[in-house]
C-alpha cells in the first residue's frame, strides 16, 4: 500500500528558478533533494512538494506563490507566497509555508512529512504540519549546520537550535553521512548519499581521449571550502614530477571569484585549461576522460566533520581514480574505493602523482564504480528509505 508523502524543501531547477530569477543556488543540494524524492517514488509512494523559495538574493522582492508540476519528477509543487522586507523574509516564509504545508497535508491525507535540513522555513512548517495532520515526521539531513561562536550567522545558530529542540520530535532520518546520523535523537535512520548526477556507470559516455596525456581535474564551487586554491597550489608540484601532465579546472561561483580563479589558473606555467561552468554533456565527457579527479575540501573546517561532497558520487561513477581529503566519514566508509590523502600540499601532490604513475592505484576506479552500482541502485535505496518511512508511521 502506497503512502502519501509531503516533502518540504525548495526544489529550484527549472520552473521555479526561471520564475523568480534565481541563478546562484547549490547544485549539490538541489540534486540531493531530487534524489530523495526519486527514491521515495521508486517504491510507489505518492509525493507532493512544498517549495519555500527565499526571495532574498533573487530578482524579485515578493511573490504570490505558485502551483505547477515538475517535469522531471512528475510531482505537484506548491510554492508558498513570500515577502522580502525588513530582514524578516525567513519569518514570513516560515509562516506562509506552514499554512501551505498544512493545506497540502490535509488535502493529500499525508502519512509522512519529510523536510529538508533544520532550516526555519522547512522545520517549523513540517513540525506543525505533522501535528495538524497526525503525520510522521522525517528529516532529510544532508548539511552539517554548525555553530561557530566566532562566525555563526543568525541562520546557522537558528538551525542548530532547531536541531537540538525540534529534532527530538523527528520520527526518522535520511542522512547524507554517518556523522550526521549521530546528531539525531532517533535510531530510525538510513544513510543515503544521493545518486550520481551524471548517471550510473553504465550510462556514461566512453572516454574521448584514451591515449591522451595524464589528466587531473578539479570541479565544483569556487570557494574556501572546496579547495580550488589548494588545487592551484598543487598543480606546479605535480607538473614537475609527471611528464606532459595537464590540468582541467571547471566550476562555478560569483563573478569576482570566477575571474580570479581563471587568471590564477592561466598564469601557471603548466598545461592548465580553465573551463568555468561546463555544459552538462561536456561535464560528463570530461570526468570520464580525466585520469584523476580531486576533492580537496578542507577537513579542518567544522562543516567538514559531517559533509559528504556530492561530486564524489559523480567521480566514482566516472571510474577515474579519485583523490580526496578525509572529510565526514569518507576515510572510514570509502577507504577501498578512494585514495584518501592528508590535507597539506605535499601529501596531496604526492597522492596525485602516485595515482598518475603507479598502476596499482588503477583498481580504485573499478572499485568505486562497483560501490556506486550497489549503494546507488534505485531499488536498493528506495527500500532503505521505505523502511525508515514505514518505521516512522508504526
Amino acid at each position: 500500500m502506497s503512502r502519501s508523502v509531503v516533502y518540504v524543501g525548495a526544489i529550484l531547477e527549472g520552473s521555479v528558478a526561471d520564475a523568480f530569477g534565481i541563478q546562484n543556488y547549490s547544485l549539490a543540494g538541489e540534486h540531493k533533494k531530487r534524489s530523495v524524492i526519486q527514491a521515495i517514488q521508486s517504491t510507489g509512494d505518492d509525493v507532493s512538494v512544498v517549495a519555500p523559495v527565499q526571495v532574498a538574493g533573487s530578482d524579485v522582492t515578493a511573490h504570490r506563490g505558485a502551483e505547477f508540476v515538475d517535469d522531471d519528477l512528475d510531482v505537484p509543487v506548491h510554492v508558498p507566497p513570500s515577502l522580502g522586507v525588513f530582514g524578516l523574509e525567513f519569518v514570513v516564509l516560515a509562516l506562509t509555508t506552514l499554512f501551505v504545508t498544512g493545506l497540502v497535508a490535509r488535502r493529500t491525507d499525508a502519512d509522512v512529512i519529510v523536510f529538508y535540513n533544520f532550516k526555519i522555513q522547512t522545520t517549523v512548517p513540517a513540525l506543525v504540519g505533522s501535528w495538524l495532520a497526525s503525520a510522521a515526521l522525517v528529516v532529510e539531513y544532508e548539511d552539517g549546520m554548525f555553530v561557530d561562536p566566532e562566525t555563526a550567522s543568525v541562520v546557522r545558530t537558528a538551525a542548530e537550535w532547531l536541531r537540538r529542540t525540534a529534532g527530538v520530535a523527528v520520527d526518522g532520518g535520511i542522512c547524507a553521512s554517518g556523522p550526521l546520523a549521530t546528531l539525531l535523537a532517533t535510531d530510525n535512520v538510513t544513510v543515503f548519499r544521493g545518486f550520481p548526477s551524471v548517471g550510473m556507470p553504465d550510462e556514461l559516455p566512453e572516454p574521448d581521449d584514451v591515449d591522451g596525456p595524464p589528466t587531473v581535474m578539479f570541479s565544483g564551487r569556487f570557494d574556501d571550502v572546496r579547495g580550488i586554491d589548494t588545487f592551484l597550489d598543487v598543480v606546479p608540484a605535480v607538473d614537475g614530477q609527471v611528464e606532459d601532465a595537464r590540468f582541467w579546472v571547471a566550476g562555478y561561483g560569483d563573478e569576482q571569484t570566477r575571474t580570479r580563479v581563471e587568471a590564477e589558473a592561466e598564469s601557471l606555467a603548466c598545461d592548465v585549461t580553465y573551463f568555468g561552468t561546463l555544459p552538462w554533456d561536456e561535464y560528463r565527457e570530461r570526468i570520464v576522460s580525466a585520469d584523476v579527479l580531486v576533492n580537496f575540501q578542507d577537513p579542518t573546517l567544522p562543516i567538514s566533520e559531517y559533509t559528504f561532497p556530492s561530486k564524489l558520487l559523480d567521480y566514482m561513477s566516472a571510474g577515474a581514480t579519485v583523490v580526496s581529503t578525509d572529510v565526514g566519514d569518507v576515510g572510514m566508509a570509502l577507504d577501498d574505493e578512494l585514495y584518501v590523502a592528508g590535507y597539506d600540499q605535499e601529501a596531496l601532490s604526492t597522492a596525485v602523482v602516485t595515482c598518475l604513475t603507479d598502476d596499482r592505484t588503477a583498481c580504485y576506479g573499478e572499485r568505486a564504480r562497483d560501490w556506486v552500482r550497489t549503494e546507488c541502485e534505485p531499488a536498493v535505496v528506495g527500500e532503505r528509505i521505505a523502511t525508515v518511512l514505514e518505521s516512522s508511521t508504526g
Side-chain angles (χ1 to χ4, degrees):
M1 181 177 177
S2 65
R3 282 173 290 267
S4 173
V5 179
V6 175
Y7 182 91
V8 185
I11 57 172
L12 302 174
E13 188 176 8
S15 300
V16 175
D18 293 342
F20 302 112
I22 301 172
Q23 298 178 347
N24 189 20
Y25 58 90
S26 171
L27 298 176
E30 176 78 7
H31 181 66
K32 285 178 179 176
K33 285 177 274 191
R34 289 176 173 271
S35 293
V36 164
I37 294 171
Q38 289 173 328
I40 294 172
Q41 290 176 306
S42 70
T43 57
D45 289 343
D46 297 319
V47 181
S48 298
V49 176
V50 177
V53 177
Q54 296 173 217
V55 293
S58 72
D59 293 341
V60 296
T61 57
H63 65 80
R64 300 170 61 181
E67 294 187 11
F68 61 93
V69 174
D70 184 87
D71 292 335
D72 292 332
L73 296 171
D74 192 26
V75 296
V77 179
H78 308 266
V79 181
S82 190
L83 178 67
V85 61
F86 304 127
L88 298 176
E89 57 268 13
F90 289 109
V91 176
V92 174
L93 187 56
L95 292 174
T96 58
T97 303
L98 168 58
F99 179 73
V100 173
T101 300
L103 286 178
V104 174
R106 293 294 295 271
R107 185 188 307 166
T108 61
D109 194 18
D111 299 299
V112 185
I113 295 180
V114 179
F115 68 97
Y116 178 71
N117 282 331
F118 288 99
K119 296 183 175 183
I120 297 172
Q121 65 270 33
T122 58
T123 308
V124 174
L127 180 64
V128 178
S130 70
W131 176 71
L132 291 174
S134 298
L137 185 65
V138 173
V139 62
E140 179 192 353
Y141 201 9
E142 70 88 15
D143 191 359
M145 288 296 205
F146 62 93
V147 176
D148 183 333
E150 297 181 0
T151 62
S153 67
V154 172
V155 175
R156 285 187 179 273
T157 301
E160 177 64 8
W161 180 82
L162 284 170
R163 180 187 69 79
R164 294 178 181 275
T165 54
V168 299
V170 168
D171 299 300
I174 304 165
C175 302
S177 72
L180 280 176
T182 65
L183 297 179
L184 298 181
T186 177
D187 294 328
N188 181 31
V189 298
T190 187
V191 174
F192 171 47
R193 305 181 191 278
F195 295 126
S197 66
V198 295
M200 297 293 280
D202 300 325
E203 299 171 346
L204 289 171
E206 293 295 322
D208 284 337
D209 197 5
V210 178
D211 298 322
T215 304
V216 186
M217 181 175 179
F218 172 98
S219 71
R221 184 187 290 272
F222 297 146
D223 61 14
D224 295 337
V225 176
R226 278 76 178 183
I228 178 59
D229 292 323
T230 301
F231 176 71
L232 295 176
D233 289 340
V234 165
V235 165
V238 175
D239 186 68
Q241 300 178 66
V242 180
E243 185 178 1
D244 296 327
R246 65 180 177 184
F247 306 87
W248 293 342
V249 178
Y252 60 100
D254 60 74
E255 183 177 357
Q256 181 178 356
T257 303
R258 293 197 310 270
T259 301
R260 178 185 64 80
V261 170
E262 181 177 11
E264 292 182 7
E266 293 179 348
S267 71
L268 296 173
C270 310
D271 184 1
V272 182
T273 302
Y274 173 86
F275 295 107
T277 303
L278 285 169
W280 195 242
D281 288 343
E282 187 175 352
Y283 170 63
R284 298 172 80 236
E285 292 170 359
R286 293 291 177 183
I287 64 170
V288 298
S289 298
D291 298 289
V292 173
L293 297 162
V294 302
N295 170 53
F296 286 173
Q297 180 167 329
D298 184 351
T300 66
L301 297 175
I303 198 171
S304 294
E305 181 179 349
Y306 302 104
T307 191
F308 184 85
S310 294
K311 65 183 177 184
L312 287 182
L313 296 174
D314 290 351
Y315 288 0
M316 294 168 70
S317 190
T321 302
V322 182
V323 175
S324 176
T325 52
D326 190 5
V327 295
D329 57 351
V330 165
M332 179 176 64
L334 295 169
D335 187 48
D336 290 333
E337 290 79 21
L338 310 180
Y339 192 108
V340 182
Y343 185 59
D344 62 277
Q345 183 175 329
E346 181 178 357
L348 291 173
S349 59
T350 298
V352 173
V353 169
T354 299
C355 291
L356 288 175
T357 59
D358 191 336
D359 291 340
R360 289 175 295 181
T361 63
C363 62
Y364 282 105
E366 196 49 46
R367 287 177 187 168
R369 280 193 152 184
D370 288 342
W371 185 94
V372 169
R373 290 186 181 103
T374 300
E375 296 297 320
C376 299
E377 169 59 37
V380 173
V381 174
E383 286 300 327
R384 290 176 183 170
I385 291 180
T387 299
V388 171
L389 298 185
E390 181 66 30
S391 297
S392 70
T393 57

